[in-house]
């Protein structure tokens, strides 16, 4: 009898522990969703639009991007640059981009009144078909919204990163809440109960699609983190310290350059893996090689179009041949001495370490160019699915929320469970530093500010 009673007590305590853990995890999930869901909707909409950048730009800027008639022979690159300079005599040329489509114009990047512009020149007759301010392109506007919430600056970029990192926690806590405990039916777990009404229906419309989309959403978030300020820098340091980025031998065909300038600071179209690649210096001379010589080097070294040639900056600068907006295997970053034409460094996809290769493939997947239109459609479905999850969560919250109250899940009195979950959250915070800082901020805010405001506590409880 005593043993049976003890067993019942243990079972009851275990059930109470499970309910307490569920309640604590739900509480974290609720607040994270409430705070960051508006930012995630912005990211999903802007990212969904940017996925179709090639199609959108080809349609909007057709008169600039394409020629009406092609010919067998094209003008020399130097002649095309000269035509662009005639149209914008006060604007220095920073780079020239060549496409693999014979109908595409040659894109020449220039600086005008402190802004980067793209000038589109017909490669067959040298006609300047027009120009665009890069920052005013529709897709660039959505890109800025996606990365900097349009307002720009470090704070906005960190806020985007923070929202993306908390989305990972939302996924993990959501899967814990979704995980079947006693139900054996597939309804409400992997299939929604369409016949139900009210909160149960909206719960299923939130939880079931979240289960099916969780992996895709996680991949979409993870492949975007290398661009972020804090996590991206961490990833870079790990790749460098473990030699899984680009290998030392790929840096140069001669001694390691003494320059501290990074490739992303002086060149366009640079792959992620070589953005931090140190730029070597030209040997010195009087007469630089021509742009035709550089394009010849690109052809002989089998750099696939589209690629961009960035001009040397100053007397010791180099030409940089770069290609990143292609299939990952075609990535290239080549630095060329502007006087002798010597190849100073040549880094390709096959030179990357395991980590850099994985990130490069991930970035291509994130941008919708890894396997063409199916990749774009899959990304769009994921973005639309994320929006749907957030909308269904809002509806579910509004249906359960009491009037004049936030309707947050009740705070658990079991301190042991609360501390255990908090420690797990802090582990996530160590992996994602901005999350860790935000958790510490929330803890001190709740401990020393919100806890003193009884009316506020009553409202959000």
């Amino acid at each position: 009898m005593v043993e049976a009673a003890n067993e019942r007590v243990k079972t009851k305590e275990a059930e109470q522990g499970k309910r307490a853990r569920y309640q604590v995890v739900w509480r974290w999930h609720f607040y994270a969703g409430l705070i960051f869901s508006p930012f995630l909707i912005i990211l999903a909409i802007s990212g969904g639009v940017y996925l179709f950048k090639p199609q959108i730009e080809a349609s909007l800027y057709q008169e600039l991007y394409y020629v009406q008639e092609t010919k067998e022979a094209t003008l020399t690159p130097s002649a095309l640059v000269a035509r662009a300079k005639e149209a914008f005599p006060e604007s220095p040329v920073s780079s020239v981009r060549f496409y693999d489509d014979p109908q595409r114009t040659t894109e020449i990047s220039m600086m005008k009144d402190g802004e980067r512009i793209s000038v589109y020149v017909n490669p067959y007759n040298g006609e300047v078909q027009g120009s665009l301010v890069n920052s005013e392109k529709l897709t660039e506007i959505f890109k800025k919204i996606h990365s900097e919430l349009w307002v720009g600056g470090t704070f906005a970029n960190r806020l985007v990163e923070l929202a993306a990192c908390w989305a990972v926690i939302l996924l993990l806590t959501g899967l814990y809440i979704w995980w079947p405990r006693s139900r054996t039916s597939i309804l409400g777990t992997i299939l929604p109960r369409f016949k139900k009404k009210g909160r149960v229906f909206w719960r299923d419309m939130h939880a079931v699609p979240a289960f099916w989309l969780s992996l895709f959403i996680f991949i979409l978030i993870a492949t975007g983190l290398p661009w972020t300020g804090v996590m991206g820098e961490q990833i870079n340091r790990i790749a460098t310290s473990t030699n899984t980025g680009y290998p030392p031998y790929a840096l140069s065909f001669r001694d390691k350059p003494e320059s501290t300038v990074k490739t992303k600071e002086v060149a366009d179209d640079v792959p992620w893996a070589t953005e931090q690649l140190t730029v070597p210096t030209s040997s010195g001379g009087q007469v630089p090689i021509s742009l035709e010589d550089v394009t010849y080097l690109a052809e002989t070294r089998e750099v696939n179009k589209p690629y961009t040639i960035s001009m040397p900056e100053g007397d010791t600068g180099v030409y940089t041949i770069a290609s990143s907006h292609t299939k990952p295997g075609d990535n290239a970053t080549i630095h060329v001495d502007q006087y002798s034409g010597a190849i100073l460094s040549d880094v390709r996809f096959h030179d990357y370490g395991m980590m850099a290769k994985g990130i490069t493939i991930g970035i291509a997947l994130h941008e919708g160019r890894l396997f063409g239109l199916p990749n774009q459609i899959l990304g769009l479905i994921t973005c639309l699915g994320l929006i749907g999850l957030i909308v269904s969560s809002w509806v579910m919250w509004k249906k359960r929320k009491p009037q004049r109250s936030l309707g947050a899940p009740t705070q658990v009195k079991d301190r042991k469970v609360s501390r255990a979950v908090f420690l797990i959250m802090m582990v996530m915070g160590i992996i994602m530093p901005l999350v860790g800082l935000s958790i510490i901020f929330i803890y001190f805010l709740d401990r020393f500010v919100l806890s003193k405001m009884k009316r506020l506590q009553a409202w959000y409880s």
Side-chain angles (χ1 to χ4, degrees), residues 82-96:
R83 295 296 178 89
K85 285 184 174 180
E86 288 177 10
F88 300 91
E90 304 297 325
S91 302
V93 174
S94 56
S95 66
V96 182

Side-chain angles (χ1 to χ4, degrees), residues 306-433:
Y307 63 77
T308 301
I309 297 176
S310 296
M311 302 302 184
E313 292 192 3
D315 296 335
T316 59
V318 298
Y319 284 104
T320 301
I321 305 168
S323 178
S324 66
H325 293 94
T326 55
K327 294 180 180 178
D330 292 337
N331 275 196
T333 308
I334 303 174
H335 291 127
V336 180
D337 190 304
Q338 67 167 302
Y339 302 106
S340 67
I343 302 297
L344 303 178
S345 64
D346 185 346
V347 185
R348 308 297 180 97
F349 180 80
H350 60 75
D351 295 317
Y352 300 167
M354 185 184 300
M355 191 170 179
K357 283 181 178 177
I359 291 171
T360 300
I361 292 170
I363 288 173
L365 177 68
H366 189 91
E367 291 185 333
R369 53 183 172 80
L370 184 61
F371 46 91
L373 184 60
N375 188 170
Q376 293 174 303
I377 294 172
L378 182 62
L380 180 63
I381 291 171
T382 306
C383 290
L384 292 175
L386 179 57
I387 295 169
L389 296 181
I390 294 170
V391 171
S392 62
S393 70
W394 285 351
V395 174
M396 189 166 52
W397 168 55
K398 293 292 286 185
K399 284 186 173 293
R400 67 170 293 275
K401 185 181 82 69
Q403 287 186 346
R404 299 178 183 177
S405 172
L406 184 65
T410 307
Q411 190 168 5
V412 174
K413 295 179 180 179
D414 190 331
R415 291 181 175 273
K416 193 174 181 181
V417 171
S418 296
R419 286 171 182 168
V421 176
F422 183 79
L423 286 174
I424 294 172
M425 295 295 293
M426 286 307 299
V427 170
M428 298 294 292
I430 292 171
I431 297 171
M432 297 176 287

Side-chain angles (χ1 to χ4, degrees), residues 207-341:
V208 175
F211 162 71
W212 288 109
L213 290 170
S214 57
L215 179 61
F216 299 103
I217 293 173
F218 176 78
I219 291 172
L220 203 62
I221 294 167
T223 52
L225 289 178
W227 282 302
T228 57
V230 178
M231 280 293 290
E233 189 60 34
Q234 271 194 327
I235 292 168
N236 240 318
R237 283 199 297 268
I238 293 170
T240 302
S241 61
T242 58
N243 287 325
T244 53
Y246 52 79
Y249 69 78
L251 282 173
S252 179
F253 288 83
R254 53 180 67 183
D255 294 335
K256 187 177 179 180
E258 296 178 358
S259 168
T260 58
V261 178
K262 304 301 181 184
T263 300
K264 69 175 182 179
E265 298 171 5
V266 297
D268 299 328
D269 199 15
V270 180
W272 178 89
T274 54
E275 285 183 343
Q276 302 298 324
L277 178 67
T278 305
V279 180
T281 55
S282 290
S283 57
Q286 294 183 346
V287 181
I289 61 174
S290 68
L291 197 54
E292 287 72 49
D293 294 326
V294 184
T295 55
Y296 175 75
L297 285 171
E299 291 172 7
T300 56
R301 300 198 74 85
E302 298 181 345
V303 179
N304 293 327
K305 291 179 179 178
Y307 63 77
T308 301
I309 297 176
S310 296
M311 302 302 184
E313 292 192 3
D315 296 335
T316 59
V318 298
Y319 284 104
T320 301
I321 305 168
S323 178
S324 66
H325 293 94
T326 55
K327 294 180 180 178
D330 292 337
N331 275 196
T333 308
I334 303 174
H335 291 127
V336 180
D337 190 304
Q338 67 167 302
Y339 302 106
S340 67

Side-chain angles (χ1 to χ4, degrees), residues 94-137:
S94 56
S95 66
V96 182
R97 184 168 171 79
F98 301 93
Y99 291 90
D100 53 350
D101 185 348
Q103 289 190 307
R104 281 296 301 261
T105 52
T106 301
E107 184 176 343
I108 299 173
S109 185
M110 309 177 80
M111 292 299 297
K112 181 185 179 186
D113 300 327
E115 287 195 283
R116 181 71 67 90
I117 65 170
S118 292
V119 181
Y120 301 93
V121 184
N122 186 317
Y124 302 102
N125 60 19
E127 177 191 354
V128 175
Q129 296 191 185
S131 65
L132 286 171
V133 177
N134 286 9
S135 61
E136 294 178 359
K137 291 179 182 178

